[in-house]
Amino acid sequence: MKPAQFAYARAKDLPHALALWAEAGEDAQILAGGQSLIAGLGLRLADTPALIDINHVPDLAGVTESGDRIRIGAMTRHAELARNPLVAEHAPAIAEAAPLIAHPAIQARGTIGGSLAYADPAAEFPACVVALDAELVVQGQGGERRIPAADFFLGLYETALEPFELLTAIEIPKAGRRRQTVQELVRRHGDYAIVGIVLAADVQGDTLGAAKVVYFGVGDAPVVAEGAARALEQGDVSAALKALNDDLDPPGDLTGGPETKRHLARVILQRAINALRAQ
Amino acid sequence: MTIDLNQVDRPNSYIGKTVPRPNARKLVEGRGQYVDDVHLPRTVHVAYLRSPYAHARINGINADAAKAIPGVLRVFTGHDLKDVCTPWVATLDHLKGMKSAPQHALAVDRAMWVGEPVAAVVAESRAVAEDGAAALEVDFEPLPVVADMETALDPETPVLHEELGDNLTFTRTHESGDLADAFASAAHVVEETFHTGRHTGVCLEPRSILADFNRSENQLTLYAATQAPHMIQSSFAKHLDLPEGKVRVICGDVGGSYGIKVHIYPDEMATAAISRVMGRPVKFIADRLESFTADIHARDHRVKARMAVDSNGKITALEIDDLTGIGPYSVYPRTSAIEGNQVVNLCGGPYDLASYKATTTVVMQNKAPMCQYRAVGHPIACAVTEGMVDLAAEALGMDPVELRRRNLVPDDAYPYTAASGMKFEGLSHHASLDKLLETMGYDDLRREQQALRDKGVYRGIGIASFIELTNPSPFMYGIGGARISAQDGATVRMDPDGSLVVLSGVTEQGQGTEGMLAQVVAESVGVPMETVKVITGDTQTTPYGGGTWASRGAGIGGAAAFRAGRALRDNIIQVAAAMLQSTPDALDIIDGAIKDRATGEERMPLAELGRIVYFRGDTLPKDLDREMVATRHYITSDYPFAFTNGIQASLVEVDVETGFVKLLKHWCVEDCGRVINPQLVDEQIRGGIVQGLGGALYEECVYSEEGQLENANMADYLVPMASEMPDMVIGHVETPTQESELGAKGAGEAGTAGAPAAVMNAINDAIRPFGGRVTRMPFTPERVLAVLGKVPDPDGR
Ligand SMILES: Cc1cc2nc3c(=O)[nH]c(=O)nc-3n(C[C@H](O)[C@H](O)[C@H](O)COP(=O)(O)OP(=O)(O)OC[C@H]3O[C@@H](n4cnc5c(N)ncnc54)[C@H](O)[C@@H]3O)c2cc1C
């Protein structure tokens, strides 16, 4: 389908972007990589009067190091995240997730900010930032605020971003000795996951200290499996697998019914544990 | 003079060689010309409002808001077009008792499936036309939906077309041999029910048509992406009340068809009708989303099967009961009964069966219409037959290869009439099987399978023999009353510079038909291939023909071109003999020059001969025939169809924790008679296998009980993609048909025919230790897990 008519404006810098947005109204959308937005326009899912292009705003892309954190600009592309050495060293889950997203053409355009703001429940990055205790930096007319990743994803394509608020960066604590892994089940390379998991922990013998178990594709947002995490901290894998019965309540979709999703979630947890231990 | 095509060392021996196809570079460089690339002055664009309901009464359409949008020119409803374009009923006389209902270009008062075109908005651009379609207010009144084919004939199910009395379109039973006795005396009887998933052919180029009605000439020109230009001409002329001669169909480059583009679609007919009313060129390019519900679907079958074997491993009987739901209308003009009919014709096909009984029941329902898609009926028949053979082997405790050896029709048994009544001129099942086993290293694979199983790795090997129906005669459609030509023709012309132009009635869909024709003509005349230009896809200039379907391009179109080339060659030599004061049998044409047959000495380049014929005809004897053009046609007559055969094997690994199936490798040995271009044939086989694998593992049109298509987009409808495709090894056995000098049969559908069966058997071989068995395609992880007993059965069995 062809999109309905919309206006387009290219922002020079951040204040300009915010000003353009205020002028165009709440329903106008920020254009980042366009890999979800443009497809949505073609589907005529929403009435979008205008796009504000932030691809030319300086300083929104790139990865920097500051103290015990790394800072990823919202406009950093998936392809860059897959090859950036700072990311590989300090947030390996992000580096591992990036090549799993779609295909090279989409990785070359798509941005982490767009992925998080779009908040697809089967997407990789939202679960990663939750598992890695990231903080999302957002900028509105009133200035900057920081939102813990755990509080950012509210539901299906729904985030804590207020109207006219732009996501500018993601700050992630350095992994240090913590190990991270991303596992997912997809029918075809690059598809959204049927079930995926991000597991981060301090591996000491059998125990997985301060374990973070975050699923994607099993709810309307990233799902934190608290019970499983507590059991892993005790080094009790079978208790963790059992805990998933309470931790997860996956809705069925075209890829499988709730029981299938639960079954696959157990399989993938076991695989993630194995992967973490093998690192 | 004939050419001995079996002799390897021939001059201009293009036939049998891999030569690059001339149009590949053009397509790769983006210089092809598809319908959407054709821009005519005053063109307008149409978008269709499609029914969001599977079954609904249309109480009214308010177009005021749509018409008020700047750029919207006109809105058409079913009532506006029903007098411009007459409805069609898709039945064929030879399918006894077949019935269907009249179908209009735009739904009149009632919509019958999600996606049926209900109204058309014509605008200055497609985008504005879509704005208009979104602004239409249609008063739909939902009606009861008939979705499930299993209950379509139940007395309590509503009848979709009252005048037909019930929802039955067609049924046929074929029986031969003494079934009752065979089952009574069998050592083993195996039974199973198979489901093949409804899917569709996702063409890279969507369906496209640009209709240009010129009032001053009363002429309709259709630029259409189609497989069968002359069929389109005839059908559009009939229903738009124009003489056939006043409809011209031009078909440039086509981005894949697979059977999708060989039918009459209501939206395309409406586009032409609108052009007729408005007197302007009207363009309709289907978008990817609407294609999911507006293109034909195929393969929605449930087949119950029973097989009897004796204690020696001889199959003594096969009985099948096929049920298929084809949507609310049989598709015009080929009808939607052919697929079921093919299942009856093809089941058990490779085997020497003493008794066979098959029934197909074709019913109507409120889903997208189903019709012929690549390998019509074959993948279904092959999956059922080969699934049953593997079951019988299991019951006997026999290796599945051994059971096939004991039952495949012997290679020296031809001509042979199968239990289904099909006649085979010459097939090579055993030679193909031998070659397959050798190529794949069957015994080593079996050993490896066993060793890995002990380590908890579950690999499976699946084998599938198949037959493929190609080169159809008028017995396919013509005898049923359809104006679909089984004959095809070619005209070959030599121009003054000695170059050749070939005009052919078969068409290029991206598969390389034009390359094949250039090869055949270059060799049959005796010229370098670079000097041959091929033109297809224009009803006004090419010979009348059937086009591309049922794997007939090479076998029929190629055979006609071969004959035309030979005829032109004879004409040229005749003239050369007069010029050179020689005799025709002393001369030959090699490499674009007249040569002395005995010495090989060059006597005259064709360019010189052309110069004299065209510009100095005064120097030639007055009564000398100097026809530098020849037209020949070809039709199969000894056999209704040229059957081919082959065998495939699939090696898979099943992850028994996730139900995921990994395709490790795939083999196919097939026999399409004379191979004209090995690379093109191999590409056909590979592409066909990929489509077959799609049906086996990924593709399914998932409908809700309300008749909603739930995965009508490229994210949720999974087409097979390169990353998941296995390495494929293709081999050939060549049994040329004796019917034509060329000896070519078809190869376009062999891959699709056998791949799903091979994969199904491989999966079941892999999970045999667990006792489960998959029989419902596509074999999704959830379905595999369900038969492994790990999750509930999604199909509620
Ligand atoms: C074929 C295909 C397959 C895909 N597969 C996957 C997959 O497997 N996994 C996956 O995670 N993704 C997948 N994607 C989506 C892809 O990752 C997108 O790039 C991503 O979801 C959106 O990023 P974007 O930069 O393209 O954002 P855009 O499409 O430009 O924007 C998306 C939304 O976010 C808003 N937005 C963007 N940036 C900001 C910002 N800085 N602040 C506030 N709002 C913002 C936009 O206004 C819009 O509403 C796929 C896409 C395609 C086309």
Side-chain angles (χ1 to χ4, degrees):
Chain A
M1 280 173 76
K2 309 285 181 202
Q5 220 176 45
F6 57 85
Y8 168 90
R10 179 183 288 179
K12 288 197 297 276
D13 52 32
L14 207 49
H16 187 212
L18 294 172
L20 285 169
W21 200 351
E23 189 186 331
E26 204 181 310
D27 291 338
Q29 298 233 39
I30 295 296
L31 173 65
Q35 298 304 300
S36 297
L37 178 55
I38 299 295
L41 290 180
L43 294 170
R44 295 188 177 221
L45 295 176
D47 206 358
T48 305
L51 299 187
I52 293 134
D53 183 352
I54 59 168
N55 281 272
H56 300 266
V57 171
D59 305 326
L60 273 186
V63 185
T64 52
E65 206 174 353
S66 69
D68 58 357
R69 298 180 154 209
I70 61 166
R71 181 182 166 99
I72 301 174
M75 284 301 293
T76 312
R77 317 273 171 187
H78 306 339
E80 169 64 20
L81 294 168
R83 61 176 176 242
N84 185 286
L86 287 175
V87 173
E89 185 179 350
H90 301 302
I94 299 277
E96 198 180 345
L100 303 178
I101 301 175
H103 312 283
I106 293 147
Q107 292 162 10
R109 295 296 303 165
T111 68
I112 186 168
S115 179
L116 300 178
Y118 189 61
D120 190 300
E124 288 81 358
F125 284 152
C128 288
V129 296
V130 172
L132 304 191
D133 284 324
E135 219 171 41
L136 308 194
V137 186
V138 308
Q139 180 90 35
Q141 295 288 9
E144 186 179 288
R145 66 183 183 114
R146 288 163 174 270
I147 309 169
D151 301 336
F152 186 77
F153 301 99
L154 304 181
L156 199 61
Y157 306 113
E158 208 191 320
T159 68
L161 284 171
E162 297 287 340
F164 303 112
E165 255 183 351
L166 220 144
L167 178 59
T168 55
I170 299 95
E171 291 191 0
I172 302 176
K174 288 182 178 173
R177 49 174 297 167
R178 283 173 72 75
R179 299 182 194 172
Q180 307 172 358
T181 188
V182 183
Q183 303 281 325
E184 66 177 27
L185 292 169
V186 289
R187 297 295 310 282
R188 304 173 304 176
H189 177 84
D191 281 351
Y192 278 106
I194 299 175
V195 175
I197 189 172
V198 186
L199 177 62
D202 191 353
V203 181
Q204 290 178 349
D206 278 347
T207 63
L208 300 182
K212 283 278 185 178
V213 183
V214 184
Y215 279 92
F216 49 105
V218 297
D220 59 6
V223 177
V224 181
E226 285 291 353
R230 299 297 79 79
L232 291 179
E233 284 165 359
Q234 309 300 316
D236 189 344
V237 173
S238 60
L241 294 172
K242 206 170 287 155
L244 290 180
N245 286 335
D246 293 328
D247 286 344
L248 305 181
D249 184 16
D253 60 25
L254 286 166
T255 64
E259 282 311 312
T260 301
K261 291 245 179 185
R262 233 187 259 279
H263 169 81
L264 294 175
R266 284 191 291 269
V267 171
I268 207 172
L269 176 58
Q270 181 68 63
R271 289 183 181 183
I273 295 166
N274 297 346
L276 218 57
R277 287 192 170 143
Q279 275 179 15
Chain B
M1 257 323 282
T2 56
I3 305 181
D4 179 5
L5 293 170
N6 295 315
Q7 184 199 321
V8 193
D9 213 11
R10 315 182 305 272
N12 306 114
S13 58
Y14 295 108
I15 295 171
K17 290 212 174 116
T18 288
V19 282
R21 46 166 141 165
N23 60 4
R25 180 163 171 187
K26 172 187 82 173
L27 298 177
V28 170
E29 288 190 0
R31 298 302 303 270
Q33 193 174 59
Y34 300 87
V35 172
D36 203 21
D37 298 318
V38 179
H39 301 284
L40 299 179
R42 301 171 58 250
T43 295
V44 293
H45 301 262
V46 59
Y48 290 96
L49 177 85
R50 298 182 180 278
S51 175
Y53 295 99
H55 195 191
R57 191 165 310 289
I58 303 164
N59 289 328
I61 298 177
N62 182 343
D64 292 348
K67 285 181 187 160
I69 295 172
V72 169
L73 300 170
R74 232 168 137 157
V75 174
F76 292 87
T77 67
H79 282 280
D80 298 329
L81 289 188
K82 75 178 198 303
D83 297 327
V84 186
C85 176
T86 55
W88 50 89
V89 180
T91 56
L92 288 167
D93 300 341
H94 67 300
L95 302 175
K96 296 277 174 288
M98 175 169 196
K99 53 191 202 278
S100 184
Q103 183 180 10
H104 288 272
L106 292 177
V108 175
D109 296 337
R110 192 162 65 123
M112 301 286 284
W113 84 89
V114 171
E116 179 170 10
V118 166
V121 178
V122 183
E124 303 281 2
S125 72
R126 167 80 189 207
V128 174
E130 285 184 22
D131 290 346
L136 288 175
E137 290 161 29
V138 184
D139 179 4
F140 285 110
E141 178 190 329
L143 295 170
V145 173
V146 179
D148 186 359
M149 65 186 185
E150 296 277 0
T151 55
L153 297 179
D154 290 358
E156 52 280 12
T157 302
V159 172
L160 291 178
H161 304 286
E162 258 169 49
E163 69 277 21
L164 300 183
D166 56 27
N167 292 327
L168 181 68
T169 297
F170 176 66
T171 183
R172 176 189 154 211
T173 298
H174 172 89
E175 189 166 1
S176 72
D178 190 342
L179 223 72
D181 181 60
F183 279 108
S185 60
H188 300 275
V189 173
V190 287
E191 280 182 57
E192 187 51 277
T193 300
F194 300 86
H195 291 85
T196 47
R198 186 180 254 264
H199 55 283
T200 184
V202 182
C203 305
L204 212 50
E205 179 209 25
R207 285 187 300 108
S208 306
I209 190 165
L210 168 60
D212 180 17
F213 182 69
N214 186 334
R215 284 179 188 141
S216 65
E217 297 177 307
N218 193 38
Q219 165 86 30
L220 177 67
T221 305
L222 300 168
Y223 301 83
T226 178
Q227 297 169 234
H230 286 101
M231 183 201 89
I232 297 285
Q233 173 192 33
S234 160
S235 305
F236 276 63
K238 177 170 177 189
H239 294 284
L240 293 167
D241 194 25
L242 288 163
E244 279 187 12
K246 288 291 184 186
V247 178
R248 178 182 186 183
V249 179
I250 298 174
C251 168
D253 287 309
V254 178
S257 298
Y258 324 113
I260 298 300
K261 296 173 183 166
V262 77
H263 312 291
I264 297 299
Y265 286 92
D267 47 22
E268 295 178 24
M269 192 66 98
T271 304
I274 291 167
S275 177
R276 182 119 208 244
V277 173
M278 294 182 72
R280 292 180 72 164
V282 184
K283 191 181 260 190
F284 168 63
I285 310 290
D287 71 31
R288 190 63 345 268
L289 283 178
E290 66 185 335
S291 296
F292 278 107
T293 55
D295 287 2
I296 57 118
H297 294 175
R299 310 249 209 279
D300 197 0
H301 288 244
R302 182 278 287 143
V303 184
K304 294 181 182 160
R306 278 206 312 156
M307 182 178 268
V309 282
D310 69 16
S311 53
N312 296 322
K314 175 79 189 138
I315 302 169
T316 53
L318 174 65
E319 180 177 8
I320 66 141
D321 177 15
D322 171 52
L323 173 69
T324 178
I326 52 119
Y329 300 102
S330 167
V331 176
Y332 194 62
R334 287 166 194 260
T335 85
S336 305
I338 294 288
E339 193 178 59
N341 201 48
Q342 294 275 70
V343 172
V344 171
N345 286 343
L346 298 170
C347 272
Y351 299 101
D352 184 30
L353 289 178
S355 56
Y356 175 60
K357 181 177 178 189
T359 297
T360 185
T361 305
V362 183
V363 301
M364 285 176 278
Q365 55 181 177
N366 296 113
K367 292 184 182 175
M370 291 216 310
C371 203
Q372 282 76 300
Y373 165 54
R374 193 175 196 172
V376 189
H378 291 68
I380 302 151
C382 184
V384 170
T385 306
E386 294 303 284
M388 295 307 286
V389 170
D390 267 25
L391 269 181
E394 192 177 279
L396 286 157
M398 187 180 280
D399 187 286
V401 166
E402 180 54 29
L403 185 59
R404 283 176 174 80
R405 260 198 215 295
R406 293 188 189 187
N407 290 281
L408 287 167
V409 177
D411 287 359
D412 59 5
Y414 300 96
Y416 178 91
T417 302
S420 62
M422 295 293 110
K423 294 186 168 57
F424 306 141
E425 180 199 11
L427 303 178
S428 60
H429 288 297
H430 290 268
S432 299
L433 172 64
D434 290 342
K435 188 160 182 176
L436 178 87
L437 297 179
E438 188 193 316
T439 313
M440 69 190 286
Y442 182 76
D443 295 332
D444 289 346
L445 284 177
R446 282 281 176 220
R447 276 190 286 276
E448 182 188 58
Q449 175 187 34
Q450 198 50 54
L452 286 171
R453 202 170 271 183
D454 299 339
K455 294 182 190 151
V457 175
Y458 294 92
R459 287 199 177 167
I461 301 162
I463 307 275
S465 283
F466 62 88
I467 53 171
E468 186 202 342
L469 178 158
T470 77
N471 295 5
S473 73
F475 278 85
M476 191 127 185
Y477 296 113
I479 54 161
R483 290 172 76 83
I484 297 171
S485 174
Q487 170 179 288
D488 232 295
T491 296
V492 183
R493 181 180 87 218
M494 193 191 92
D495 285 343
D497 66 346
S499 68
L500 303 185
V501 176
V502 185
L503 300 150
S504 168
V506 295
T507 53
E508 172 70 60
Q509 316 289 307
Q511 79 279 49
T513 298
E514 293 182 354
M516 173 277 294
L517 290 169
Q519 271 176 275
V520 166
V521 169
E523 173 150 8
S524 64
V525 178
V527 300
M529 210 176 126
E530 312 80 76
T531 63
V532 181
K533 171 88 190 150
V534 178
I535 292 173
T536 61
D538 182 350
T539 55
Q540 202 156 293
T541 57
T542 70
Y544 200 94
T548 296
W549 45 274
S551 299
R552 67 188 293 283
I556 293 180
F562 188 82
R563 284 185 170 179
R566 295 308 286 170
L568 174 65
R569 181 180 173 284
D570 290 347
N571 292 359
I572 294 170
I573 287 184
Q574 196 78 37
V575 173
M579 284 181 187
L580 299 167
Q581 282 154 6
S582 176
T583 56
D585 52 2
L587 299 174
D588 202 354
I589 307 176
I590 295 170
D591 260 340
I594 307 292
K595 302 212 171 156
D596 187 275
R597 178 178 295 282
T599 64
E601 179 200 344
E602 177 165 330
R603 302 291 306 272
M604 177 192 276
L606 288 183
E608 175 61 8
L609 184 140
R611 184 189 69 81
I612 294 170
V613 167
Y614 285 99
F615 308 122
R616 291 304 312 270
D618 57 311
T619 64
L620 298 174
K622 183 179 171 191
D623 57 355
L624 178 71
D625 268 341
R626 49 195 88 170
E627 295 300 333
M628 294 294 103
V629 55
T631 298
R632 290 294 182 273
H633 290 83
Y634 179 75
I635 187 165
T636 50
S637 25
D638 296 346
Y639 288 84
F641 314 102
F643 274 95
T644 73
N645 69 282
I647 185 164
Q648 297 191 23
S650 163
L651 176 67
V652 305
E653 189 171 303
V654 178
D655 179 338
V656 296
E657 286 186 321
T658 62
F660 275 56
V661 174
K662 186 162 190 205
L663 302 167
L664 297 175
K665 197 149 181 170
H666 202 98
W667 297 265
C668 177
V669 173
E670 65 84 58
D671 183 349
C672 62
R674 172 96 50 223
V675 172
I676 297 168
N677 183 328
Q679 183 178 24
L680 286 183
V681 171
D682 286 3
E683 285 173 1
Q684 280 299 303
I685 303 293
R686 286 202 175 86
I689 287 172
V690 169
Q691 269 174 320
L693 296 175
L697 292 178
Y698 299 105
E699 297 182 60
E700 184 175 24
C701 299
V702 180
Y703 272 91
S704 71
E705 284 171 14
E706 296 76 41
Q708 291 290 338
L709 183 53
E710 297 190 308
N711 60 340
N713 61 71
M714 291 299 285
D716 295 322
Y717 182 94
L718 306 182
V719 294
M721 290 178 54
S723 304
E724 283 66 48
M725 290 301 102
D727 191 15
M728 296 176 210
V729 181
I730 316 295
H732 304 278
V733 172
E734 288 189 56
T735 312
T737 170
Q738 302 303 317
E739 270 212 52
S740 75
E741 246 184 298
L742 189 58
K745 307 184 231 178
E749 298 163 285
T752 312
V759 169
M760 178 178 73
N761 284 349
I763 294 172
N764 288 334
D765 186 45
I767 63 175
R768 190 158 289 129
F770 301 91
R773 188 155 72 219
V774 292
T775 54
R776 186 184 283 260
M777 294 180 199
F779 307 120
T780 61
E782 187 168 48
R783 285 178 175 149
V784 174
L785 286 173
V787 304
L788 290 170
K790 301 201 168 168
V791 306
D793 184 349
D795 308 300
R797 281 180 295 169

